[in-house]
Structures are given as C-alpha cells and as structure tokens.
Amino acid sequence: MNDKAFEEMLLKNKEYQRKLANIKKFEEGQQDFDQQIGLLIRQAMARFIKKTNDILHQFTKNITISDLKLVYKAKSKLNQVVFSVSVLGVKKTLDRENVGFDYTLSDGDKSALALSSFLARVSFSEDLEKQVIVIDDPFTSFDSGRKLMTIEAITNLTANVQQIILLTHDKNFLFEFADNVKGIVTASEINLWQLVPSGKFVTFRQLYHSDTEGLIERTLKKLQIFLSEGESNPDRLLSIARSLRPLLEEIFRIKYPEFYEDNTWLSTYLDYIRKSENDPHYRRFAKLLPEKDLIIAVMDYTKKFNHSSSSVIDSVELEGFVKRTLEVFDNI
C-alpha cells in the first residue's frame, strides 16, 4: 500500500477522524487559553506600572516606567521583568549593550525606582495583612525631602501588613520613622535594636529614643507649613492627619509626667479630664475641661486613619482639625 492509499484509508476511518477533531479542538482551546493568560498578564502589568508610577512620582516627576514585559531566561529558568524608563520624556530601555540605567539615572533616582517597584509589588500581595515585610536601607543617596517621602511611604505600608522589619545604617532615620509610625501602632509594638560587632560574634542592643521635644518640634513645623502652604499629596495629607493624636499625647506626657505609665494614650488623658470634676487626684486636669469636646473631635477624626492608607482626606477638613489640635496643644 502506497502512502496515498494509506492516507485515503485513514481519512475514511471514523476513529481517526474523531481523534483529529479532538486534537484540533485541543489546539483551539490551548490557543484561547494562551490568549486569556496573555490578557491577564497584560492587565496585571498595566496595574503594576500605574502603581509603581504613582509611588515613583512622589519622589520625582521626571521619571516614568512603561513597556513592561516578561522575558524567559533559559539559564535560570525564570522570567525576568524588563521595562523602559522615560527620563524627562526620553525613553530608555535596560540594554547592557548600550548606555543603560547605570549611566542614565542618578543613585537617588535608582533608589527611588527600586523602592517604588518594591512597594508596588508588595501592594498586590495576597493576604497582605498577614505579611512580614523586610526593607533594607531604603533611602540610599536620598536627600532630606526624599527621606521624608520614604518614611511616609513605609508608614503607609505599616498600616496594611502584620510587621515591618526596617534595616538601616542611619539611626536618625530610624528614630524619625518610629516617631511617624506612632499614629498607627502602639509604643510597645515599636522595637529599636542596634547591631553591635563583638569579635567573631554580634550582639543586639536595644535603642531608646527619648527625643520627645524633637518630635514635637518637627510635628509643629509640619503642621505650620501645611497651614501656610497647603498640601495636595495624599500620602503627606495622611501623614499630617496621623500626627495630630501623637502630638497631643506627647505634650500631655511632658506636662503631666506623674500620670504617665505604659499604655497611656489620649483617651486615658481624656478620662483624667473627666475625673477632675469630682476626684481631687486629677484636679490638675480641671483646666482642660473646656477642651474636652475638642479632644473628642480630634480622636474621632483621626481614628479612621490609624490603620488604613486608603482613606480619602479632604484638605479643608484636615485644616480645620489641625487648627483645633493646635488650639488644644496651646491650652495644655
């Protein structure tokens, strides 16, 4: 039997025809599946690009990422993310054969891009509230303005994850972050440790930040700048809103040190003010009875910002509560 005769016989065989039809159906289904997977990947990449740029533009408006794609590396058997960066409107792709990011971007810009990309990836993690996030020296080569933005970005992340482990060589940055995050977590949840080399071994020494007056001075300066110059950046507005309650707690601790204990919060001092009407032990708080309603209003307003980074803040409303907080601060 020649090949042509054999082919004609197969074409007349019903079982063969059925299997051919199944193969065709499978190939069509595979093609449809590949198209759906491709669509999902493109959608995920688009969300990632937008989120990264939203964060990146808080550090610099001059850099934008685009054209994200996955490239399979046979040697490592892993997909590598490749993207283009526009610097002042000029697009540049990571290409080692030409001038790449190493020479196009400054160290500060590369740090901002890396941190923005990392925070964007973290934001899409499943069960984010159960995640423990480790961040190592996030602000290399950052100026003071970008350091503040870094603190605010990581503070916002703290509100959405189980734990943040922040590694840094800059003790002042660590203390500033600890001050900023007090509006989200309690003081007992903030632990500061210093790595101390000791011969072949290392030990950990706990750090204590007692610069309360420095915190008050920085917060007051931030609030005054907001009142005089305004603010539209959502993260900075959130940082301002979160600073109101800790500011009042700190001034209470300075003015009434004999009443301070662990887990003494603004609500505790409010309770002391109420008790001052009938209990001589708290009579020092009696002068603050006229401020009671203002303190309650500030507490109610700031409550929704303590454990959320997605709240929309009305800058006009925030301005009103900043003024109320400063009024209470002056009277304390």
Side-chain angles (χ1 to χ4, degrees):
M1 181 181 295
N2 58 34
D3 291 342
K4 185 176 181 181
F6 180 73
E7 184 178 350
E8 290 177 352
M9 183 189 73
L10 285 178
L11 291 175
K12 295 177 181 179
N13 186 290
K14 292 183 178 180
E15 181 64 19
Y16 176 73
Q17 291 297 326
R18 187 178 66 81
K19 290 185 176 182
L20 273 182
N22 288 340
I23 291 172
K24 184 178 180 181
K25 185 177 180 181
F26 173 80
E27 290 176 344
E28 291 174 348
Q30 182 67 40
Q31 185 179 12
D32 183 59
F33 176 78
D34 290 343
Q35 289 176 349
Q36 292 181 35
I37 292 296
L39 177 61
L40 291 174
I41 291 175
R42 289 192 296 274
Q43 291 173 342
M45 287 182 173
R47 291 196 300 270
F48 175 75
I49 288 175
K50 183 180 185 305
K51 184 66 176 179
T52 300
N53 283 330
D54 287 345
I55 300 171
L56 181 60
H57 289 165
Q58 295 175 31
F59 293 92
T60 174
K61 298 289 187 182
N62 297 331
I63 304 174
T64 300
I65 71 166
S66 60
D67 300 336
L68 190 68
K69 61 181 179 180
L70 293 178
V71 177
Y72 181 73
K73 296 294 183 180
K75 182 179 292 186
S76 61
K77 296 182 179 180
L78 294 173
N79 284 321
Q80 180 180 8
V81 176
V82 178
F83 53 87
S84 298
V85 170
S86 294
V87 182
L88 295 173
V90 179
K91 185 179 291 187
K92 191 69 191 175
T93 303
L94 180 59
D95 185 351
R96 296 302 181 187
E97 296 179 0
N98 298 308
V99 179
F101 291 163
D102 290 344
Y103 301 97
T104 303
L105 304 180
S106 67
D107 288 343
D109 287 340
K110 284 185 283 188
S111 294
L113 180 58
L115 180 61
S116 301
S117 173
F118 171 76
L119 293 176
R121 292 198 307 273
V122 169
S123 70
F124 292 114
S125 299
E126 293 184 2
D127 298 324
L128 186 58
E129 69 281 359
K130 298 179 182 179
Q131 299 293 325
V132 176
I133 307 299
V134 180
I135 302 177
D136 184 10
D137 251 347
F139 68 96
T140 303
S141 302
F142 278 176
D143 55 30
S144 58
R146 288 187 177 184
K147 282 186 181 180
L148 177 59
M149 295 174 195
T150 301
I151 289 172
E152 292 176 357
I154 301 176
T155 297
N156 290 337
L157 180 61
T158 303
N160 297 311
V161 300
Q162 181 178 352
Q163 184 180 14
I164 290 282
I165 299 175
L166 178 62
L167 308 175
T168 178
H169 67 281
D170 189 327
K171 192 181 296 184
N172 290 328
F173 173 80
L174 187 65
F175 288 149
E176 288 180 26
F177 172 72
D179 288 341
N180 205 60
V181 84
K182 284 181 180 177
I184 297 175
V185 300
T186 63
S188 62
E189 294 177 295
I190 303 174
N191 292 286
L192 309 179
W193 298 88
Q194 182 175 8
L195 188 67
V196 181
S198 179
K200 295 181 179 181
F201 306 96
V202 294
T203 58
F204 289 91
R205 179 171 66 87
Q206 190 161 12
L207 296 175
Y208 297 94
H209 181 31
S210 58
D211 187 16
T212 300
E213 293 184 0
L215 168 63
I216 289 176
E217 182 180 353
R218 289 192 297 273
T219 303
L220 289 176
K221 183 178 179 180
K222 178 165 64 174
L223 299 184
Q224 293 295 346
I225 291 174
F226 168 67
L227 291 178
S228 62
E229 300 179 7
E231 183 58 72
S232 59
N233 183 283
D235 284 342
R236 294 178 194 169
L237 289 173
L238 186 59
S239 176
I240 292 167
R242 284 174 173 164
S243 70
L244 301 183
R245 184 167 179 164
L247 174 65
L248 295 182
E249 289 173 342
E250 294 295 349
I251 193 61
F252 265 118
R253 289 166 189 167
I254 290 176
K255 294 294 185 178
Y256 302 91
E258 69 274 25
F259 289 93
Y260 175 71
E261 298 177 354
D262 288 341
N263 297 317
T264 302
W265 308 112
L266 189 56
S267 58
T268 312
Y269 293 112
L270 179 61
D271 189 46
Y272 294 163
I273 294 171
R274 289 171 174 148
K275 290 180 178 178
S276 68
E277 292 187 273
N278 302 309
D279 191 335
H281 179 67
Y282 300 101
R283 62 180 178 272
R284 285 193 60 202
F285 291 93
K287 70 171 188 174
L288 296 175
L289 281 168
E291 312 301 326
K292 182 174 63 176
D293 290 341
L294 274 181
I295 295 173
I296 293 173
V298 171
M299 288 175 57
D300 289 342
Y301 173 72
T302 58
K303 188 184 302 181
K304 58 179 173 288
F305 305 122
N306 289 346
H307 300 286
S308 173
S309 59
S310 58
S311 301
V312 177
I313 298 180
D314 184 322
S315 61
V316 175
E317 183 182 31
L318 176 59
E319 180 180 346
F321 277 99
V322 168
K323 291 178 179 178
R324 295 180 193 180
T325 300
L326 292 176
E327 180 182 340
V328 175
F329 178 89
D330 290 340
N331 291 332
I332 294 174

